[in-house]
């Protein structure tokens, strides 16, 4: 009786949380003179609320598993002839992590699919707050809006993967990448109007953002914005994966080379943390905080 009661209570809390998010989005849209969100957008918000816990568990398993694998590899590199006594903890922990990750993978995929809508909702909230802010508070609100729009750009560039309507190496990928880059270019053009005509720019951004969310939830990842909005726009390229790969390869190289050059034992993790942080700063600049999870031995600010 206890477990069913807990499940019912959690479902109620999840539904209440989703209702609050939907109501907040509707209020923000009203402040920006935009229509109410469609059914697909509301369903995506409800789905994200119901799958958030499973996504957190899956992410925790992946991060812990990656940290455990790195620790095992580093120990093997530093002392390859070390004798193993008893049953190593990794033999017990690794299968447990695999079972939990497998059980939560589907829910994680569902959350990942609907997370783009939450990103858009946060950007619309930032639009509404910046529009209604006083002259003193508006600079800070505009900065927050710029960060939210960068997150939306990332979501748009990844839409073909997160929406899961196209195979990873499909021949349709090239056209979808081109379209996503044009959508990002259109958003940047609307954002630039904040410096010249802010009153109109807020409404334009809200309209574009909701159009993207509605088409995304409908599976139209190749038509996130109508063609009339994209004519003459030069596509913005997505190089995030290449940059992340370069940072990871550089860290692996440092981890392998450090014992070979006689680095004192116990200093490897601080060195990896410092090198990794410098690489993230050089690669992503002010957005480096978004990637600190790659460095489990560094505490993000």
């Amino acid at each position: 009786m206890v477990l069913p009661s807990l499940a019912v209570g959690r479902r109620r809390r999840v539904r209440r949380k989703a209702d609050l998010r939907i109501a907040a989005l509707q209020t923000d849209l009203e402040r920006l003179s935009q229509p109410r969100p469609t059914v697909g957008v509301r369903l995506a918000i409800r789905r994200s609320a119901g799958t958030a816990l499973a996504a957190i568990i899956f992410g925790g398993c992946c991060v812990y598993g990656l940290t455990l694998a790195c620790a095992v590899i580093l120990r093997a590199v530093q002392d390859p002839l070390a004798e193993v006594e008893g049953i190593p903890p990794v033999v017990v922990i690794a299968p447990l992590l695999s079972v939990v990750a497998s059980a939560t993978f589907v829910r994680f995929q569902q959350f990942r699919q609907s997370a783009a809508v939450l990103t858009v909702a946060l950007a619309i909230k930032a639009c509404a707050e910046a529009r209604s802010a006083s002259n003193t508070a508006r600079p800070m609100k505009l900065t927050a809006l710029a960060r939210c729009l960068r997150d939306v750009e990332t979501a748009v560039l990844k839409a073909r993967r997160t929406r899961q309507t196209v195979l990873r190496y499909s021949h349709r990928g090239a056209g979808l990448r081109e379209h996503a880059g044009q959508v990002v270019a259109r958003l940047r053009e609307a954002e630039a109007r904040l410096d010249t005509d802010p009153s109109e720019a807020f409404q334009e951004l809200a309209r574009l953002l909701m159009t993207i969310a509605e088409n995304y939830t409908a599976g139209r990842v190749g038509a996130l914005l109508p063609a009339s909005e994209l004519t003459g726009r030069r596509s913005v390229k997505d190089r995030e994966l290449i940059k992340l790969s370069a940072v990871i390869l550089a860290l692996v190289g440092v981890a392998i080379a450090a014992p070979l050059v006689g680095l004192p034992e116990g200093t490897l993790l601080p060195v990896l943390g410092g090198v990794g942080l410098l690489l993230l700063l050089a690669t992503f600049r002010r957005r480096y905080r978004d990637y600190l999870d790659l460095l489990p031995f560094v505490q993000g600010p």
Side-chain angles (χ1 to χ4, degrees), residues 60-69 71-72 87-102:
C61 289
C62 292
V63 171
Y64 189 76
L66 179 62
T67 305
L68 189 64
V72 171
I87 301 177
V90 68
V91 175
V92 180
I93 297 175
L96 180 61
L97 289 176
S98 300
V99 170
V100 176
S102 299

Side-chain angles (χ1 to χ4, degrees), residues 129-142 198:
E129 291 180 348
R131 184 186 183 187
S132 60
S134 63
N135 290 334
T136 304
R138 177 166 286 192
M140 295 179 61
K141 296 297 183 181
L142 288 174

Side-chain angles (χ1 to χ4, degrees), residues 10 14 17 21 44 46-64 97 100-116 118 164 293:
R10 183 179 180 277
V14 167
K17 184 178 181 179
R21 285 179 176 174
R46 294 188 187 281
R47 190 181 302 113
S48 66
T51 56
L53 179 60
I56 293 173
I57 294 173
F58 178 83
C61 289
C62 292
V63 171
Y64 189 76
L97 289 176
V100 176
S102 299
T104 56
F105 178 71
V106 175
R107 305 283 282 178
F108 164 75
Q109 291 285 71
Q110 293 174 349
F111 177 81
R112 186 169 175 243
Q113 187 180 74
S114 56
L118 291 182
Q164 301 171 16
D293 291 339

Side-chain angles (χ1 to χ4, degrees), residues 121-280:
L122 289 174
I124 290 175
K125 179 181 179 181
C127 271
E129 291 180 348
R131 184 186 183 187
S132 60
S134 63
N135 290 334
T136 304
R138 177 166 286 192
M140 295 179 61
K141 296 297 183 181
L142 288 174
T143 301
L145 173 59
R147 293 195 184 100
C148 291
L149 290 175
R150 294 293 83 74
D151 293 337
V152 172
E153 290 181 4
T154 301
V156 168
L157 293 172
K158 293 180 178 179
R160 67 186 185 279
R161 297 194 295 267
T162 57
R163 193 61 182 84
Q164 301 171 16
T165 56
V166 182
L167 295 176
R168 181 176 291 273
Y169 299 107
S170 171
H171 62 91
R172 296 145 60 191
L176 295 177
R177 285 193 296 271
E178 180 71 16
H179 173 74
Q182 289 181 318
V183 171
V184 170
R186 179 67 181 92
L187 284 174
R188 291 182 179 181
E189 179 183 313
E191 183 184 2
R193 291 189 64 190
L194 291 171
D195 302 319
T196 57
D197 190 6
S199 59
E200 293 294 331
F202 289 125
Q203 292 187 0
E204 183 181 11
L205 279 171
R207 177 180 61 82
L208 293 174
L209 289 170
M210 283 310 300
T211 302
I212 291 171
E214 291 165 4
N215 287 325
Y216 175 84
T217 56
R220 295 191 290 268
V221 292
L224 296 175
L225 287 177
S228 58
E229 294 279 0
L230 305 178
T231 303
R233 269 77 183 186
R234 185 176 179 181
S235 179
V236 175
K237 302 301 181 183
D238 179 15
R239 295 186 174 89
E240 181 180 7
L241 185 59
I242 297 175
K243 293 178 180 179
L244 283 175
S245 300
V247 171
I248 293 173
L249 287 175
L251 284 177
V252 172
V254 172
I256 294 175
L260 301 179
V261 298
L263 189 71
E265 186 177 356
T267 62
L268 180 59
L269 289 182
V271 169
L272 284 177
V275 172
L277 192 57
L278 289 175
L279 288 173
L280 291 179

